[in-house]
Amino acid sequence: MIKLYGSTRSSAGRCHVMLEECGLKYEALKLDMANKQNKSREYLTLNPNGKVPTLIDGDFVIWESIAINRYLAEKYKPELLGSTIEERALIEQWSVWSLVEFQPDLVTMLIQMVFVPEARRDHLIIEKANARVLEKFEILNTHMRNREFVVANYFSLADLNSASVANIGLGLGMNLGDYPHMMDWLMRMKARKSFKTVAERG
Ligand SMILES: N[C@@H](CCC(=O)N[C@@H](CS)C(=O)NCC(=O)O)C(=O)O
């Protein structure tokens, strides 16, 4: 059976959603991060970064959430990868953009606002990250005007990966009212069975 290391509330979350979209049964393995189980010799042989997610499918081991989702799509749900070269390229574009351009500032905000004690919080860091995140919301909002999905006219890996990142903003309680097209799309994604199942599992 497929095994996935990493909780639904980490970068592994999007891989849980992907496994649900593929309709695969899998074993969700949690690591005791507080006690550095992710840095144990055993885990480092699977993922030398000591981070989650890591997916094991038979003898095959893979890490990096976007690469895991790409692998799962290639093997179990190729229709999520696009039907033309151009669609495949744009799905890759939005997936990479979400991880490389969009997510880092949201993670910075998450760390500062959730994990750093209030007395030690750096409000300048939050303010700067917030300004960059709003630029990304604007890009996504403009793109989603008159669109149902990020690429083409069907659900793809671009929707899954981008929604998993945009959702961090919702989790932080950011006011997304200025981005109605992005919000409508995000709500549609969150209403999918896969996202709901993973959110309910917590
Ligand atoms: N780019 C990686 C990010 C992985 C990542 O940062 N995982 C965090 C949890 S969200 C982690 O395992 N952190 C533990 C650590 O840094 O020690 C991916 O998307 O898979």
Side-chain angles (χ1 to χ4, degrees), residues 9-12 14 33 36 38-39 49-53 63-66 68 99 103:
R9 293 179 187 278
S10 69
S11 292
R14 64 181 62 96
M33 310 283 263
K36 302 256 179 252
N38 53 317
K39 306 294 180 195
N49 302 287
K51 292 186 176 188
V52 293
W63 38 263
E64 277 298 330
S65 58
I66 292 293
I68 291 171
L99 252 279
Q103 179 167 284

Side-chain angles (χ1 to χ4, degrees), residues 36-47:
K36 302 256 179 252
Q37 205 184 348
N38 53 317
K39 306 294 180 195
S40 67
R41 187 182 301 223
E42 191 190 2
Y43 186 71
L44 289 173
T45 59
L46 295 172
N47 183 341

Side-chain angles (χ1 to χ4, degrees), residues 5 19 24 29 34 42 55 64 74-75 86-87 91 99 102 107 119 121 153 157 159 179 182 188:
Y5 280 99
L19 284 157
L24 292 165
L29 301 170
E42 191 190 2
L55 181 112
E64 277 298 330
E74 293 275 5
K75 188 163 178 183
E86 288 78 13
E87 280 178 12
I91 288 166
L99 252 279
F102 194 8
V107 170
R121 216 163 273 165
N153 58 355
L157 211 45
D159 294 287
Y179 312 98
M182 184 188 81
R188 284 197 303 278

Side-chain angles (χ1 to χ4, degrees), residues 163-176:
S164 73
V165 176
N167 199 29
I168 301 171
L170 265 192
L172 287 173
M174 294 176 81
N175 178 7
L176 304 185

